[in-house]
Amino acid sequence: MVISSSHIYSKNNLEVVNINTTNEINAKKIKQNGQIQIYKSSYRGSYPSIIRDSLRNAALGRKVLLIQFMKGGVKQGVDNPVKLCGNLTWVRSSHSFDQYNPEEIENNENLKKSIYESTFELWNFCKNELQSGDNDQIILDEIFLAIEMKIIDKDDLISTLESRFISGDVILTGTDIPKDLLLMANQITELRS
């Protein structure tokens, strides 16, 4: 018997249950993924509705991970996430571009290096979370800006999304979105002012 739903699954994602003559059930664990949703905007800071929805989902009992790649100022980092509603884990980079003015970053190589390393550490944390299956929803806020700034490799993001294990949706936000990622998306929403 093949169990399926209205979702379209590839052949290797079908759950097959074999019943033998001794009434034992042999079930093969499957990897079912939610959708990839992209929220696109022409300007930064236009995603309060996504953050609102993540809070609502957490309050309803879903385990949500909200990662803000280009926001800082609250001294979080991977080692100091904030928990909200019992189910929402909110993580920002420990050093971010938003914490400093652009000239200060450009003129201070140590600061620039620290910001890049902190953002890359956050990306490695995200990769592990996308593989773990521990979350019902993962939001990668402004990940496309991190790609544009050459902190995160676009192909690394694509391969991570292709091999993810999450029952819910992965939401990506940003301004300049590479075509390869647009083609992967199940849903693309353009936010206008």
Side-chain angles (χ1 to χ4, degrees), residues 15-143:
E15 183 174 83
V16 179
V17 178
N18 296 317
I19 302 174
N20 66 22
T21 56
T22 60
N23 292 329
E24 293 177 18
I25 297 176
N26 298 319
K28 179 182 174 188
K29 184 177 176 184
I30 61 159
K31 180 176 169 179
Q32 294 182 359
N33 288 310
Q35 293 187 347
I36 295 175
Q37 299 177 11
I38 292 178
Y39 286 81
K40 177 181 174 181
S41 177
S42 59
Y43 60 95
R44 290 185 64 202
S46 58
Y47 307 107
S49 62
I50 295 164
I51 294 171
R52 180 195 67 226
D53 290 345
S54 68
L55 281 167
R56 186 182 66 224
N57 283 330
L60 292 172
R62 295 185 76 204
K63 190 169 178 191
V64 179
L65 176 63
L66 170 61
I67 303 292
Q68 291 186 294
F69 282 97
M70 305 313 258
K71 299 274 193 254
V74 291
K75 299 184 188 209
Q76 284 186 358
V78 173
D79 296 327
N80 194 23
V82 172
K83 287 284 208 176
L84 301 168
C85 302
N87 290 317
L88 174 67
T89 303
W90 173 39
V91 185
R92 286 181 165 186
S93 184
S94 58
H95 289 96
S96 117
F97 289 92
D98 285 2
Q99 293 174 274
Y100 309 94
N101 67 43
E103 295 84 28
E104 187 179 5
I105 295 169
E106 195 58 40
N107 296 329
N108 186 335
E109 283 301 316
N110 289 333
L111 179 59
K112 187 184 227 179
K113 182 179 177 188
S114 174
I115 291 169
Y116 274 75
E117 287 174 352
S118 177
T119 306
F120 193 73
E121 177 186 36
L122 191 56
W123 169 236
N124 283 328
F125 172 77
C126 288
K127 287 169 56 171
N128 290 334
E129 291 298 315
L130 284 162
Q131 301 299 317
S132 74
D134 291 340
N135 297 287
D136 298 312
Q137 182 180 57
I138 297 178
I139 301 150
L140 306 177
D141 186 38
E142 293 192 310
I143 191 161

Side-chain angles (χ1 to χ4, degrees), residues 180-193:
D180 303 15
L181 286 150
L182 288 172
L183 294 172
M184 288 183 74
N186 301 96
Q187 174 185 328
I188 300 168
T189 303
E190 184 171 355
L191 303 172
R192 297 182 184 165
S193 57

Side-chain angles (χ1 to χ4, degrees), residues 154-166:
K154 176 188 73 161
D155 294 331
D156 191 18
L157 174 59
I158 289 170
S159 66
T160 301
L161 290 173
E162 287 174 340
S163 65
R164 74 192 185 281
F165 183 67
I166 175 174

